[in-house]
Amino acid sequence: MAYSATAYFQKLTDILLNIGVTDGRGNSIALDEGMDRAVKMILDVAERSGKVLLIGNGGSSAIVSHMQSDLGKGAGVQALVFNEAPLLTAFSNDIGYEYAFGFMTELFAKEGDLLLSISSSGQSPNILRAVNQAVDSG
């Protein structure tokens, strides 16, 4: 079955407009409200001279790498990604992939930094461990 460019962009638009966003307690919130909150958190971290730590698996790792560039170059915000192959494979080899992001979060984060995680399923054990580590560390 052949798809047209118009059909592709319509499908992409439908997907983007139906992105699920949740608050810190897992409650669904509107996309615009979620984006407003995210921007405010990032700007608050930058104002305190903190940094944004970014994690994601697979395609989400490409998204967070791009976000690191945009945050640094475009907004002047300090940002780190944990998906550089040598770093990620070293930690994964030594402690296991499911623990790598959590360990790196513990190692690099300071109180008041922001962990931004992207997960298509919202159920990735390594992402959830890092989020819990960040919450526990403040």
Side-chain angles (χ1 to χ4, degrees):
M1 178 174 196
Y3 289 98
S4 68
T6 301
Y8 170 81
F9 285 113
Q10 182 61 56
K11 178 72 173 171
L12 182 59
T13 299
D14 292 343
I15 290 169
L16 292 172
L17 291 174
N18 287 296
I19 289 174
V21 180
T22 56
D23 65 12
R25 293 182 293 281
N27 301 313
S28 292
I29 58 175
L31 176 59
D32 288 340
E33 182 181 350
M35 291 304 296
D36 288 346
R37 287 184 187 188
V39 168
K40 183 178 180 337
M41 286 189 282
I42 291 168
L43 294 175
D44 288 349
V45 167
E47 189 175 293
R48 295 189 311 267
S49 298
K51 61 189 171 297
V52 178
L53 311 171
L54 302 148
I55 58 173
N57 293 313
S60 297
S61 68
I63 293 169
V64 297
S65 287
H66 188 105
M67 289 178 72
Q68 178 194 30
S69 297
D70 287 347
L71 287 170
K73 181 177 174 257
V77 177
Q78 295 179 40
L80 297 173
V81 293
F82 295 159
N83 61 346
E84 292 297 323
L87 178 70
L88 184 55
T89 58
F91 281 105
S92 296
N93 182 63
D94 293 346
I95 62 173
Y97 187 70
E98 64 274 18
Y99 300 102
F101 287 146
F103 187 84
M104 287 185 274
T105 299
E106 182 178 354
L107 180 64
F108 291 109
K110 294 181 183 171
E111 186 172 341
D113 286 346
L114 175 65
L115 176 69
L116 199 155
S117 61
I118 297 183
S119 172
S120 296
S121 70
Q123 302 300 316
S124 301
N126 61 337
I127 299 290
L128 294 174
R129 277 190 181 87
V131 168
N132 290 330
Q133 176 62 45
V135 169
D136 291 346
S137 300

